[in-house]
C-alpha cells in the first residue's frame, strides 16, 4: 500500500513505516558559513528545521523520534557557541513545550545530567515531568549525550549489581544491558538519518544502532524538510533488513 503525502513522486508505504527514526542534525555551521552568517544563525535555522521535522514526524505517525541536540564532545566548542546552543535549548523548551504536550508527545531526555547548569536541569525535568503520561509519540532528546559514556555508566550499574549479589555475571545478556542504558524501554532505531554529508555515528547510540539502516544526506540540517524525510523513509523501505540471517525480514 502506498500513499502520496506531499510530493507525488515520493511514495511512502504506510505499512512499512519505521517505528523509530534517529537524526544527527549536522551542517548548521556550514549552512551559515555558505551564507556569510555567524554559526549561531545556522543553529537558529536548525531549530526551525527541527520544528518542521516534529510536524512531519507527527503527520507520518512515526512513534519515536530521537534527535542528537548536544553531544558530550560539543563542550569543546568555543564558549560563545556552547552558550548559544544552551540558550536555544532553553528557548526551545520554553516556547515549544506546551505545543508538544498538547500533541500528546512524551519527551525523554538521554545523556548525562552531571555538571549541567541548574536552570537547564530544571527545564529538562519540567519537560519530562509535564509529558510523562502522554501516550502518543515519543521525542527522545539526546542532550550532553555520548554513547560510550552511556555504556560505561550501564556497565558500572551492572557491576554494582553483580558485586551486591543481585545478578550473576553469566546472567548479563542483551536485555539486561539494554535495560541499563538511558534508552531503556525505547525500541532500537530502524532508521538513522545524518545530514551534512559526513558518514559516521559520532558516538551516537552505538549499542542501539546494531541493526539500524543508515541514510546519509548531503544537505545541511537547516535545509532538511518533509521531502527529505520522505525520501529517507523511501530509501529505508527499499532496503532488505536481514538482522544477520539469510532471509529478508519485513521492515514492519
Ligand atoms: C551540528 O551542526 C549541530 C549541532 C552541534 C547542534 C544541533 C542543534 C540544533 C539543531 C539546535 C538546538 C537543538 C535544540 C533541541 C534546541 P554543526 O555546528 O556541527 O555544523 P558544521 O558541521 O557545519 O559545523
Amino acid at each position: 500500500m502506498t500513499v502520496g503525502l506531499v510530493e507525488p513522486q515520493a511514495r511512502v508505504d504506510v505499512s512499512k513505516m519505521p517505528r523509530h527514526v534517529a537524526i544527527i542534525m549536522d551542517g548548521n555551521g556550514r549552512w551559515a558559513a555558505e551564507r556569510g552568517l555567524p554559526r549561531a544563525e545556522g543553529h537558529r535555522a536548525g531549530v526551525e528545521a527541527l520544528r518542521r521535522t516534529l510536524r512531519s514526524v507527527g503527520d507520518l505517525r512515526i512513534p519515536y523520534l530521537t534527535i542528537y541536540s548536544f553531544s558530550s564532545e560539543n563542550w569543546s566548542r568555543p564558549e560563545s557557541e556552547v552558550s548559544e546552543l544552551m540558550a536555544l535549548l532553553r528557548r526551545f523548551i520554553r516556547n515549544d513545550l506546551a505545543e508538544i504536550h498538547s500533541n500528546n508527545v512524551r519527551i525523554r531526555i538521554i545523556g548525562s545530567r552531571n555538571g549541567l547548569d541548574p536552570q537547564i536541569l530544571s527545564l529538562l525535568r519540567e519537560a519530562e515531568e509535564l509529558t510523562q503520561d502522554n501516550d502518543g509519540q515519543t521525542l527522545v532528546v539526546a542532550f550532553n549525550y555520548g554513547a560510550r559514556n552511556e555504556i560505561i555508566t550501564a556497565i558500572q550499574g551492572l557491576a554494582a549489581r553483580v558485586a551486591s549479589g543481585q545478578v550473576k555475571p553469566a546472567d548479563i545478556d542483551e536485555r539486561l544491558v539494554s535495560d541499563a542504558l538511558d534508552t531503556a524501554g525505547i525500541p532500537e532505531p530502524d532508521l538513522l538519518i545524518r545530514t551534512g554529508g559526513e558518514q559516521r555515528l559520532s558516538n551516537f547510540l552505538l549499542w542501539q544502532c546494531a541493526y539500524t539502516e543508515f541514510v546519509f544526506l548531503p544537505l545541511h540540517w537547516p535545509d532538511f524538510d518533509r521531502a527529505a524525510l520522505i525520501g529517507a523513509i523511501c530509501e529505508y523501505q527499499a532496503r532488505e533488513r536481514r538482522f544477520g540471517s539469510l532471509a529478508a525480514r519485513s521492515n514492519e
Side-chain angles (χ1 to χ4, degrees):
M1 184 185 2
T2 60
V3 59
L5 280 149
V6 174
E7 310 69 25
Q9 75 281 10
R11 302 192 82 78
V12 169
D13 183 340
V14 292
S15 70
K16 288 207 281 183
M17 290 301 276
R19 190 145 76 113
H20 183 173
V21 174
I23 306 185
I24 301 178
M25 309 180 289
D26 196 15
N28 295 345
R30 279 164 287 161
W31 181 91
E34 283 168 13
R35 286 159 181 77
L37 297 169
R39 290 177 62 80
E41 288 300 325
H43 295 313
R44 269 175 233 149
V47 175
E48 288 307 318
L50 173 59
R51 292 197 175 105
R52 285 198 295 275
T53 304
L54 290 177
R55 282 196 290 275
S56 301
V57 165
D59 294 345
L60 291 165
R61 312 249 188 285
I62 295 168
Y64 293 86
L65 171 69
T66 297
I67 52 161
Y68 206 1
S69 76
F70 192 85
S71 82
S72 42
E73 288 74 30
N74 286 152
W75 293 108
S76 61
R77 294 190 175 204
E79 209 184 307
S80 58
E81 185 168 342
V82 170
S83 304
E84 176 65 24
L85 285 166
M86 296 296 152
L88 281 176
L89 180 81
R90 280 198 300 270
R91 250 177 273 148
F92 177 72
I93 296 180
R94 287 197 185 118
N95 297 336
D96 295 60
L97 181 60
E99 187 183 336
I100 290 173
H101 180 46
S102 71
N103 288 334
N104 196 22
V105 174
R106 179 176 178 189
I107 295 182
R108 294 247 327 238
I109 317 280
I110 59 170
S112 170
R113 310 275 165 117
N114 292 340
L116 289 184
D117 173 83
Q119 209 189 9
I120 294 266
L121 268 178
S122 86
L123 280 171
L124 296 181
R125 235 177 270 129
E126 182 191 335
E128 285 191 309
E129 282 170 11
L130 179 72
T131 63
Q132 66 189 352
D133 295 325
N134 292 346
D135 57 4
Q137 292 162 301
T138 300
L139 170 64
V140 183
V141 180
F143 181 77
N144 194 23
Y145 176 85
R148 287 185 174 178
N149 185 57
E150 178 193 35
I151 292 169
I152 289 168
T153 306
I155 292 170
Q156 288 170 341
L158 289 172
R161 290 174 67 190
V162 169
S164 69
Q166 286 175 56
V167 169
K168 292 195 212 73
D171 291 341
I172 296 176
D173 57 8
E174 289 192 13
R175 180 70 199 268
L176 269 191
V177 175
S178 294
D179 287 349
L181 297 171
D182 294 358
T183 49
I186 298 171
E188 292 173 6
D190 301 295
L191 166 62
L192 178 133
I193 300 169
R194 180 173 186 149
T195 59
E198 312 292 351
Q199 303 196 358
R200 53 177 171 258
L201 265 181
S202 300
N203 204 16
F204 189 45
L205 303 176
L206 297 182
W207 171 274
Q208 297 86 342
C209 283
Y211 289 103
T212 299
E213 296 294 332
F214 295 167
V215 171
F216 298 106
L217 298 176
L219 55 83
H220 297 321
W221 174 249
D223 291 327
F224 189 81
D225 58 10
R226 185 184 290 254
L229 176 64
I230 289 175
I233 292 172
C234 289
E235 186 170 333
Y236 159 82
Q237 293 183 334
R239 302 232 181 120
E240 206 178 76
R241 301 183 82 190
R242 287 197 293 272
F243 299 91
S245 78
L246 292 179
R249 216 192 280 173
S250 122
N251 273 334
E252 282 162 75

